[in-house]
Amino acid sequence: MRPTRSCAAAALLAGLLTVIAAAGCRQQPAMPAPPPAPAATEPAGPRPAAVAAPVALPAPATAAELPIAASEVSALLEKWLAVQNAGDFNGYEQLYAERMTGVRRTGQIVKQLSRAAWMADRRKMFAKQMQVTASDVQIFAGLTAGALLTQHFSTGNFSDVGPKRWVVVRQGADIKIAREEMLASQVLDGAAPVDPPPPEQLALALHAGDQVWLAVTLGDGVALAEAATVQAERSLQLWSREAPVTVSRAADWPEQLRSWRDRDVVLYGVAGEVCRGQVQAAEVVAQVVPHFGRAQSWAGVDGAAKAGDREIAEEVWDQAGKTKFLAARIKPFRGDCRAAVWGRASNLAPAVVFDRADMPAGALRQAVLASAQALGRYGELQKEFNASVAPPRAAQWDLHGGAKPQVTVLVAATMRLVLVHARAGDFCGGFGAEMLTAWRATELAKDEYRFQLMSDERGADLQVPVTAADVDGDGQPELIAPRQIWKRSGATWRPVWTLPLPDFDCPC
């Protein structure tokens, strides 16, 4: 019979042991035999029981020799994602082994980094709000474990996606990342577009005299406004001669907005609810800021004939062009709606409105101003200021001409937001600069904060938010300016809808 595979292996092992034993014997010199021991007299009686020889136990395995379970790697990955999305650099650094290497890829740029260089690079990254997610995760367990995943990363105006590989080892009682490599990086074309909240969740409030409207054509406002103005012969109503001059024309609700007819609404100011009311009518609204000369002519200055309401209304309607929008005119039945900034349907759960405080002084103000001044955009404006304004001048551009940065804090149970708005100069041929940034602040100790930039430092056409609210219950606030809504897009909050206002005036 042919021997089985196991028998053959056993025979091979026995032969190998024989060879090792023989080699061991040849290496030892021959020793003389000891003299025979004297014979012992065995006592009478029962023979004592034999004592078992001690059994040698294997030495306990060290921590480094214990296999790493898949559940441990999975828990490490969850913590790794959480600390990055929370901006916790200290927590992030503790997840990496003392001896660690990394490979960073950004598009076609490749850098191999030591642990110290990796952490220095990542510390800069943590200065901005980021969003990191993982998909297609594969976990590998064992003495040397690891993971393969697809990483989606975004911060500011940058985002990329690509496969990432980990090597994980034990270090003491914990497991740590010993190697991290971005295997490929596909740079995406900015953040994915984000739709504004539906108007029943958040609609901007508009005012003219004692009247208040909620703009309900968020998104494709022009198309809805045009669809609602089929009855073009309906008369125009002039509500205000003061800027913005406001005109409206009665309209029918489009089919997709029929639910707004007679809807009850709640309106909010900068600090919470200010009034409640009911939708009275659907109207197409036009608003413009007229040139000061034209406003004087309407008023009959310099001997001109004073314009009537119909003449002004028709002129403003034509000037507004396609910036007109569909709005719900509100009839208040409780409270004072004149301070309203935004509103929503009253049958929804109450929105989480952030508390607001202006910071004229204090440690938080000084710390966030220092963070804003460290940004590249601030430095560019400082160079422009130094080149265009001769001494004597202010030390910083945002103090030029007696200006002073405005710092506003918006606080809810889960988040503290800080807005920094700096504007200086006359913008009329001389120096003029403006910068608006939003920060997420984490209090580390008394008067000690960590800041993450959560807006685009180069953002243009930004309006200063006056309040913030979580209108859809996702834990992320919407920032609300009088005519603009900001929403999170990837890792960055940016405007997702702006209510247009044609401005024909000359500020100079």
Side-chain angles (χ1 to χ4, degrees), residues 65-115:
E65 294 172 330
L66 294 175
I68 299 172
S71 59
E72 293 179 279
V73 181
S74 180
L76 178 65
L77 176 59
E78 291 182 9
K79 186 178 294 185
W80 181 79
L81 293 170
V83 295
Q84 290 183 95
N85 291 320
D88 181 5
F89 178 76
N90 291 334
Y92 174 85
E93 189 173 18
Q94 293 171 11
L95 302 181
Y96 288 81
E98 293 178 358
R99 298 180 63 183
M100 175 264 175
T101 58
V103 177
R104 192 193 78 182
R105 282 181 168 85
T106 306
Q108 300 302 313
I109 301 174
V110 182
K111 288 189 177 181
Q112 299 195 37
L113 303 170
S114 65
R115 188 186 195 280

Side-chain angles (χ1 to χ4, degrees), residues 142-467:
L143 291 176
T144 300
L148 185 64
L149 56 100
T150 299
Q151 175 185 279
H152 304 258
F153 176 86
S154 66
T155 182
N157 284 329
F158 174 83
S159 59
D160 75 343
V161 62
K164 174 165 281 191
R165 181 170 56 206
W166 273 4
V167 175
V168 177
V169 299
R170 284 204 182 277
Q171 182 176 299
D174 301 318
I175 64 170
K176 307 278 187 177
I177 303 167
R179 181 173 176 82
E180 181 173 325
E181 180 176 1
M182 192 75 173
L183 301 174
S185 166
Q186 178 186 356
V187 177
L188 305 177
D189 186 15
V194 174
D195 292 329
E200 57 268 20
Q201 291 183 356
L202 196 170
L204 294 176
L206 307 161
H207 301 270
D210 293 332
Q211 300 298 317
V212 60
W213 294 263
L214 290 178
V216 296
T217 51
L218 302 185
D220 191 10
V222 173
L224 289 177
E226 293 297 331
T229 54
V230 176
Q231 299 83 3
E233 297 304 317
R234 295 183 181 182
S235 62
L236 291 171
Q237 174 71 48
L238 176 66
W239 296 100
S240 172
R241 288 173 172 251
E242 302 294 327
V245 180
T246 303
V247 176
S248 73
R249 171 171 274 157
D252 294 328
W253 286 110
E255 183 64 32
Q256 60 269 48
L257 292 171
R258 289 284 173 84
S259 61
W260 276 84
R261 179 182 294 166
D262 300 326
R263 167 173 278 170
D264 287 347
V265 294
V266 54
L267 278 69
Y268 295 85
V270 297
E273 180 179 329
V274 294
C275 73
R276 291 187 175 240
Q278 185 180 36
V279 173
Q280 186 174 12
E283 297 181 346
V284 177
V285 178
Q287 290 186 308
V288 303
V289 176
H291 187 273
F292 73 93
R294 192 61 187 144
Q296 289 177 341
S297 297
W298 291 342
V301 176
D302 297 332
K306 189 174 181 179
D309 288 356
R310 181 180 178 83
E311 179 185 350
I312 296 173
E314 290 177 349
E315 185 173 340
V316 168
W317 186 264
D318 291 339
Q319 287 181 338
K322 291 187 177 182
T323 65
K324 296 185 284 287
F325 48 88
L326 186 63
R329 183 151 59 91
I330 307 302
K331 181 180 181 181
F333 56 72
R334 190 171 72 201
D336 186 353
C337 292
R338 289 177 295 181
V341 177
W342 64 284
R344 65 197 259 122
S346 63
N347 63 324
L348 300 178
V352 178
V353 180
F354 281 48
D355 293 329
R356 173 191 166 98
D358 293 325
M359 302 295 292
L364 186 147
R365 175 185 173 86
Q366 296 305 317
V368 75
L369 286 178
S371 296
Q373 291 164 5
L375 295 174
R377 178 57 179 162
Y378 185 95
E380 292 172 2
L381 294 176
Q382 184 66 38
K383 291 180 180 178
E384 180 183 336
F385 172 67
N386 293 340
S388 59
V389 179
R393 59 179 177 238
Q396 299 162 202
W397 71 262
D398 51 353
L399 302 178
H400 175 57
K404 185 177 182 180
Q406 176 187 353
V407 177
T408 303
V409 181
L410 301 169
V411 182
T414 58
M415 191 179 296
R416 178 188 279 111
L417 308 179
V418 185
L419 305 173
V420 180
H421 179 222
R423 179 183 171 92
D426 58 12
F427 294 86
C428 292
F431 174 79
E434 185 173 20
M435 186 173 175
L436 173 61
T437 51
W439 304 79
R440 183 171 184 170
T442 303
E443 188 170 12
L444 304 176
K446 182 175 175 57
D447 293 337
E448 183 181 350
Y449 301 91
R450 178 179 69 236
F451 295 100
Q452 277 187 295
L453 182 64
M454 51 179 277
S455 65
D456 179 6
E457 65 185 273
R458 297 181 178 276
D461 299 323
L462 303 179
Q463 295 181 19
V464 182
V466 295
T467 187

